[in-house]
Amino acid sequence: MSRLRQRLRWPRSIPRDWLGRVLARPRQALGRLEKRATQLGGLLRGTARPIREAFSAWRKRAPRARPEGRRILMLTISQIDIDPRINKVARSLAANGCEVDIFCFDHAPEAVVTEEEVSPGCRYVRIPLENRLGGVWLFYQEDFLRQGLDRHYDCVHANDLTTLLLGWILAQRKGLPLVYDAHEMWCENVSYNGEEWVPMPWPVRVVAGLYERFLVRRVDVFFTVSQTIVNEFTRRYRLRQPPLLVANFPEVSMADVEPTESIRELCSLSSDHFVTLYLGGVNPLRNIENVVRAHRFLPSPCVLVIRGPGVEYYGREYVALAAELGLEGRVLCLPPVEMGEVIAGAYGADCGVVMLKNLCKNFYWFYPNKFFEYMLAGLPVGVSDFPDVSAHIRREQCGVVFDPESPESIAEALIMLYNDREEAVRMGQRGKEGVMTKYNWQAATGVLLAGYESIFPDINEAASRAITAPR
C-alpha cells in the first residue's frame, strides 16, 4: 500500500499549479489582444477630428497662391533649443534670403505666445500647449493650426511625420507649397512599454504608416537624412521621385570655437590616459552601459568620459555601474556644452563613440550629427556596425566598427586605437579632412537650396542680395 501511495505522489518535475498556468495562457493572450484593440480604437477615435479637418481642408483647398515673398512657416514638436538640424536648416534658409518662423511648444504653465529672434531672419514662435487631444497631438497640433491660419506665409515646412498632417492641412487651406524634412522614418522608431524600450506598437505603426503613405505623395519637396532611408521611403511608398538627401553634416565654423579647457584638464587626466568620449544626449537608449562594461577588457589607462544633456540624471548610474565592475575612476561625467561649442567640448579626447543598439530600424539606419562632429573635432570614431555609418568608416578609413550588443567587441575595437595611437591620429585627420571638404553643412545646403528652387525660383538671386542687404 505504501508503494502505491509513493507512486501516486505528484512528480517533482511537474509544478503543482501546471493546470492553472496552462489555462492562464489563453487569458493572457486575450488580455494582450484586448489591450491592443483598445489602444487602436482610442487612436482611431482620437484621430477622427484631425481626419475631418484634413478632409475639410482638401474639399475647400485654396488655389495655389503665387509666393509674394520668401516667408517660411516651420513646424516642430521637438525641443528646438537642442535640435541642431532644424536650427541649421532655418539659418541656412534665412542666410539665403528667406524669413523663417519656427513654431514650437512652450510647456511652461500659464505660458503665452512669444516670439524670439535667434538669428537674422530666423525666429522661434513659442506656443503654449493647450489642446493635447490625448496622444493624438503627436499628429495634430490644434494650437499651431490657429496661429498658422492667422499669419501670412509663402511656404510650410514640416519636420518629421509628427507635424506633416498639420503642415498639409495648412498648405491646403492657404494654397501653399509643402516641404517635408523626415529626420527619420518615424514608423520605425521605439516606444517605452513601461518596462523597456521596444519597437513601436503595431497599432501606432499602422495608423502612422497610413498617414505617411497618403501625405508623402502630396508634398512638393521631400528631404531626409541617410541613403538607406531614401531608398526605404522610395521602395515602401513607391515614390516617383526619391527624397533629396540632406545628411546631418556639421557646420565647419563650429571648429573655429576655441576650447577654454580640455577634457583632460577638467577630469585631471594625464597624457598617458586614453580618453574615449561619448558626447550627446544621455539616456537609457544610448547603450552607454555596454561601453562602460567594455572597459573591463581594456588596460587601466583607458577611461570613458560621458558629456551631454541628461548626464545630471543618468550619469550617476554609469558611475555606479563602473564601481560595481571594479572600474572606479575610469568612468567620468562632464556637464553638457552649448550647441555651437560641441567641437570645443571634445578637445582632449582620443576617440569618440556612437553605439546605438539595433532596437529598431531607425537606429539601424542612423547617420547622426555626433558621428560627423567627432570627425570635425579630429577624433577617430568607434561606431555600431550598421549600414550607413560603417560604410562611411570603411570608405574614409576614419575609425573602427563593433557589435554594440557585445562589450567584448567594443573593447576589441577600442584597443586597436589604444595600441596604435599614431594610426588613431591619422584616422582622426582623415575624418576631419573629409568633413572639411565633403561632409559638411555647406555641401548639404546646396541640396537644400536646390529643393527650394522649385518653390522660390529666385532664391539664389535673393541669396546674393542678402549678403549685402542689412537686416
Side-chain angles (χ1 to χ4, degrees):
M1 197 68 178
S2 61
R3 288 183 180 178
L4 180 61
R5 289 197 192 100
Q6 194 172 14
R7 288 181 181 178
L8 292 174
R9 283 179 186 170
W10 196 269
R12 291 185 180 180
S13 60
I14 300 177
R16 291 182 178 274
D17 62 341
W18 71 274
L19 184 60
R21 291 188 185 184
V22 170
L23 293 175
R25 287 174 186 169
R27 289 199 298 269
Q28 291 169 353
L30 286 172
R32 287 194 295 270
L33 183 60
E34 182 182 9
K35 180 180 177 181
R36 293 299 189 202
T38 302
Q39 188 178 30
L40 179 59
L43 193 61
L44 291 173
R45 284 194 300 274
T47 55
R49 186 171 172 184
I51 287 173
R52 285 198 304 270
E53 179 63 43
F55 181 70
S56 174
W58 177 75
R59 270 196 323 122
K60 301 176 182 178
R61 60 189 181 278
R64 180 60 64 92
R66 183 179 182 134
E68 298 176 3
R70 287 170 294 278
R71 293 204 62 195
I72 299 171
L73 168 58
M74 196 171 283
L75 305 168
T76 182
I77 64 170
S78 73
Q79 294 176 276
I80 187 61
D81 301 284
I82 59 172
D83 191 309
R85 181 179 179 86
I86 296 175
N87 281 282
K88 285 188 293 189
V89 169
R91 285 197 303 269
S92 295
L93 291 170
N96 286 280
C98 299
E99 296 180 49
V100 184
D101 282 358
I102 305 174
F103 278 18
C104 51
F105 278 126
D106 189 340
H107 295 270
E110 301 181 3
V112 296
V113 177
T114 59
E115 298 180 6
E116 172 191 358
E117 185 168 18
V118 289
S119 61
C122 179
R123 295 187 302 173
Y124 294 163
V125 180
R126 300 185 188 270
I127 299 172
L129 178 60
E130 297 174 0
N131 296 294
R132 185 177 280 272
L133 288 178
V136 184
W137 74 282
L138 283 172
F139 295 116
Y140 178 71
Q141 301 80 34
E142 188 176 356
D143 312 284
F144 284 179
L145 179 63
R146 292 198 306 269
Q147 290 292 326
L149 290 174
D150 289 343
R151 297 165 182 251
H152 170 71
Y153 294 102
D154 300 293
C155 175
V156 180
H157 181 123
N159 287 287
D160 279 322
L161 182 60
T162 46
T163 59
L164 184 56
L165 176 64
L166 177 70
W168 184 75
I169 292 171
L170 280 167
Q172 292 288 300
R173 292 275 293 270
K174 298 174 79 70
L176 302 178
L178 176 62
V179 177
Y180 180 34
D181 187 5
H183 302 184
E184 58 191 3
M185 184 163 268
W186 196 87
C187 302
E188 299 295 346
N189 218 326
V190 294
S191 66
Y192 190 65
N193 67 4
E195 297 178 0
E196 59 181 346
W197 290 93
V198 295
M200 192 171 288
W202 68 264
V204 181
R205 291 181 64 196
V206 167
V207 173
L210 291 173
Y211 274 125
E212 193 164 55
R213 181 178 295 275
F214 175 81
L215 292 169
V216 295
R217 297 175 179 178
R218 288 161 176 81
V219 300
D220 295 276
V221 185
F222 186 2
F223 302 113
T224 194
V225 294
S226 79
Q227 188 59 54
T228 305
I229 294 179
V230 166
N231 297 341
E232 182 62 17
F233 269 120
T234 306
R235 181 198 67 79
R236 184 176 297 192
Y237 300 130
R238 299 180 181 179
L239 302 179
R240 294 180 181 177
Q241 293 291 332
L244 296 172
L245 174 57
V246 178
N248 285 316
F249 298 152
E251 297 170 296
V252 295
S253 60
M254 294 172 65
D256 298 334
V257 178
E258 291 292 330
T260 54
E261 287 183 287
S262 77
I263 287 174
R264 293 178 188 275
E265 292 170 341
L266 292 170
C267 297
S268 302
L269 300 172
S270 71
S271 59
D272 294 331
H273 285 95
F274 184 84
V275 181
T276 297
L277 173 65
Y278 172 77
L279 183 61
V282 179
N283 59 57
L285 277 172
R286 304 301 173 178
N287 194 29
I288 296 171
E289 64 279 0
N290 268 351
V291 184
V292 174
R293 294 187 182 105
H295 279 68
R296 289 180 299 167
F297 310 104
L298 293 170
S300 57
C302 296
V303 300
L304 171 64
V305 174
I306 305 167
R307 182 170 215 175
V311 72
E312 63 276 18
Y313 301 110
Y314 298 104
R316 61 177 69 93
E317 296 180 15
Y318 302 119
V319 172
L321 175 60
E324 182 183 324
L325 298 172
L327 301 170
E328 291 89 349
R330 294 179 60 189
V331 174
L332 307 161
C333 297
L334 290 177
V337 294
E338 298 293 328
M339 276 194 298
E341 300 173 355
V342 168
I343 308 305
Y347 179 65
D350 292 294
C351 74
V353 285
V354 193
M355 57 287 183
L356 290 180
K357 291 182 181 180
N358 187 11
L359 293 180
C360 65
K361 290 181 180 178
N362 262 332
F363 287 9
Y364 189 63
W365 296 331
F366 77 151
Y367 204 40
N369 289 309
K370 66 174 66 63
F371 178 65
F372 296 99
E373 289 167 351
Y374 289 140
M375 289 184 233
L376 184 57
L379 302 180
V381 187
V383 67
S384 301
D385 194 2
F386 296 165
D388 291 274
V389 287
S390 63
H392 189 107
I393 289 288
R394 294 182 176 108
R395 181 172 64 247
E396 301 296 322
Q397 299 181 22
C398 56
V400 291
V401 298
F402 49 69
D403 176 1
E405 302 278 356
S406 168
E408 292 87 348
S409 176
I410 297 172
E412 184 180 346
L414 294 179
I415 206 165
M416 290 170 60
L417 302 176
Y418 172 77
N419 286 337
D420 194 344
R421 301 280 191 102
E422 292 182 0
E423 177 59 19
V425 170
R426 287 193 290 269
M427 286 180 179
Q429 290 171 345
R430 287 193 289 266
K432 184 170 184 176
E433 182 181 353
V435 171
M436 296 296 289
T437 58
K438 294 180 286 185
Y439 307 110
N440 55 62
W441 189 248
Q442 285 69 17
T445 299
V447 182
L448 178 72
L449 295 180
Y452 261 92
E453 273 189 327
S454 64
I455 297 172
F456 306 132
D458 61 342
I459 193 167
N460 288 321
E461 296 175 19
S464 60
R465 290 196 298 269
I467 293 172
T468 55
R471 288 192 180 274

